[in-house]
Structure formats: structure tokens, C-alpha cells
Amino acid sequence: MKWNIDALREKQHEIARKVTLTNHLPEWNLLRTVGGADVSFNRFSKIGFAAIVVLSLPDLQVIETSSVEQRLELPYIPGYLAFREWPFIHQCLKNLSIRPQALICDGHGIAHPRRAGLASHVGVEEDIITIGCAKSVFVGEYMEPDSQRGSISNLILKEEKIGEVVRTKNNVKPLFISPGHKIDFHTATQLILSLCRRYRLPEPIREAHALVNRIRIEHICRVE
DNA sequence: GCGACAG
DNA sequence: ATCTTGTCGC
């Protein structure tokens, strides 16, 4: 199973060139749907699972879901996560009857060595507004934001801003938010904050995570 | 060369 | 990411 990392890196430079930080998100009063995507798999299995859950705004009710189960083609290689997970998200999007106005991805957007993290990769390939929502830092430096919900600090890589570190809940570890595609830093962070109700993670991601794990667990029982 | 390293 | 129970703190 030999993959040409050089080719993958070149593909990322291509993705990065197409990324735009110009905001394409509709006005808040016209925002109706936001999706969350998540991928999951069993320890030594070649099978992976993914789900996208679309929520309505501003009430955050689930209006549609889609999930897939397929072979994992790549191992996890830091910096190349998108090549492993994008195929799953692509299938989920194809199975949806509606296309969410924005999609939140579990990982970084432009906060990546080559500005081509999972969210940016998905955004460019699917031509959809995406936001990278990561639970830990990958590259860049930052100052710890204040402990109150809503506090924000910048994520910097070599003098350049690549994302924001956002406290989405009091006294809880912050989230690392970066634009994926067709959105700016401020809008991305504000949307994420508006989607975080009682928990650290935004509702679309929580719903997608819950669904994909449900499916993964029942697959184990089904196979044994 | 060494250590770090989204999920 | 996954393997896993209780436990400390707001």
C-alpha cells in the first residue's frame, strides 16, 4: 500500500490555492441549515464509518442525516488527514437531499502546514462553505484565552494568523477554529459559538459524532 | 539530528 | 481515532 506523499503534498498546495477566506455565508436571518460531519472506525479494522447531521437554525433540530460505511484506504498520517476522511464525507454529502449552507468538520481548516486541512480540502472539493473545528492544536502558537465562554485568542503560524482559539464553555478547554473555505475568521468563530449550547462542541458535531458511533457499535454486534 | 504530530 | 471506571470540580 504505497502512497506517494509528494503527490499528496502537491495536491494540497493546489487545494490551498483555491481556498478563499471571503465570506459566503448568508446573513444570520437567512441561515437555515448547518451540517456537522464526523468519521469513526474500529481499532484494527479496514472499515470506517461516517455521518453528517443537518440541523435547522436557529432552533437546532435535526432535519436530515446520512451515513456511510466503507473501506479505509489510507492510514492516519499527520498532515494528510483529509485524504483519509474526505472520501467518507463525500459519500455522505452525495446521499443528502439537501446541501447544508455550511458544513463543520472535525479537524482544522487552513490551520495546517500547507493551509489545506480537512475542512479546506472538503470545502474546495465540494464547493461548500466549511469550518474547521478541532479539539487540539496541530500547528501554530497561541495564548490561552480567558476562561469565560466567548473568550478568543489568535492562532499564529510564522507571523500569520491561521485560526482562533475559542472558549465555548466556561472553564473548559478551548476549541481551535479555522476557516475551511468561503468564510472568514470572525464569521467562522461566531457561527461556532452560536452552535455551542450546553457543551464544548457545537451541536452539529455532537450529533454527527453520536450518530456515527451508534452505527459503528451496531456494526460490531451485527458482525459477531 | 530530535521531538511534535488534526483524527 | 480506539481501548476504558471512577472520580474530582463547577
Side-chain angles (χ1 to χ4, degrees):
Chain A
M1 208 187 291
K2 52 198 301 298
W3 282 84
N4 187 347
I5 294 296
D6 290 339
L8 298 187
R9 189 191 311 108
E10 191 44 50
K11 173 68 177 177
Q12 293 186 323
H13 286 304
E14 199 175 295
I15 294 288
R17 282 185 1 240
K18 297 177 180 171
V19 166
T20 176
L21 301 191
T22 298
N23 185 49
H24 284 61
L25 197 72
E27 295 300 319
W28 294 101
N29 55 307
L30 294 180
L31 247 192
R32 293 284 175 277
T33 59
V34 176
D38 192 32
V39 181
S40 172
F41 42 86
N42 291 318
R43 185 113 88 147
F44 301 109
S45 173
K46 297 174 75 74
I47 301 296
F49 308 82
I52 286 182
V53 174
V54 181
L55 302 188
S56 59
L57 286 175
D59 48 313
L60 302 191
Q61 294 302 300
V62 176
I63 53 183
E64 187 175 9
T65 69
S66 82
S67 58
V68 295
E69 165 186 337
Q70 59 186 40
R71 262 192 52 150
L72 276 164
E73 300 295 346
L74 275 186
Y76 165 63
I77 304 171
Y80 300 87
L81 176 68
F83 294 99
R84 174 177 167 87
E85 301 198 349
W86 170 54
F88 288 81
I89 295 176
H90 173 67
Q91 277 305 318
C92 285
L93 279 173
K94 266 178 60 179
N95 297 340
L96 285 174
S97 69
I98 55 174
R99 167 150 293 227
Q101 289 170 299
L103 181 67
I104 300 172
C105 299
D106 199 340
H108 291 94
I110 63 169
H112 177 277
R114 291 168 292 284
R115 309 296 193 273
L118 176 63
S120 294
H121 197 115
V122 170
V124 168
E125 294 286 28
E126 309 288 347
D127 187 28
I128 186 173
I129 297 173
T130 55
I131 297 173
C133 177
K135 299 178 289 298
S136 65
V137 63
F138 181 38
V139 292
E141 303 173 327
Y142 64 95
M143 300 225 292
E144 191 71 15
D146 288 327
S147 62
Q148 281 61 52
R149 171 191 157 91
S151 296
I152 300 168
S153 68
N154 291 325
L155 179 60
I156 307 289
L157 179 60
K158 292 186 292 187
E159 318 279 73
E160 199 178 324
K161 177 170 178 173
I162 57 174
E164 293 184 339
V165 186
V166 185
R167 195 77 68 179
T168 56
K169 181 172 163 44
N170 292 172
N171 306 337
V172 165
K173 291 196 304 178
L175 251 31
F176 298 80
I177 309 303
S178 60
H181 187 45
K182 291 186 166 181
I183 196 164
D184 55 67
F185 293 107
H186 182 260
T187 307
T189 289
Q190 290 312 309
L191 178 56
I192 290 297
L193 277 172
S194 77
L195 295 171
C196 291
R197 303 300 217 221
R198 299 197 53 201
Y199 309 95
R200 176 165 86 125
L201 297 176
E203 290 303 315
I205 288 294
R206 296 187 74 248
E207 294 283 357
H209 196 269
L211 174 57
V212 76
N213 275 319
R214 215 176 298 146
I215 292 172
R216 183 174 59 81
I217 301 302
E218 70 187 32
H219 173 270
I220 297 177
C221 303
R222 201 171 77 222
V223 164
E224 295 174 352

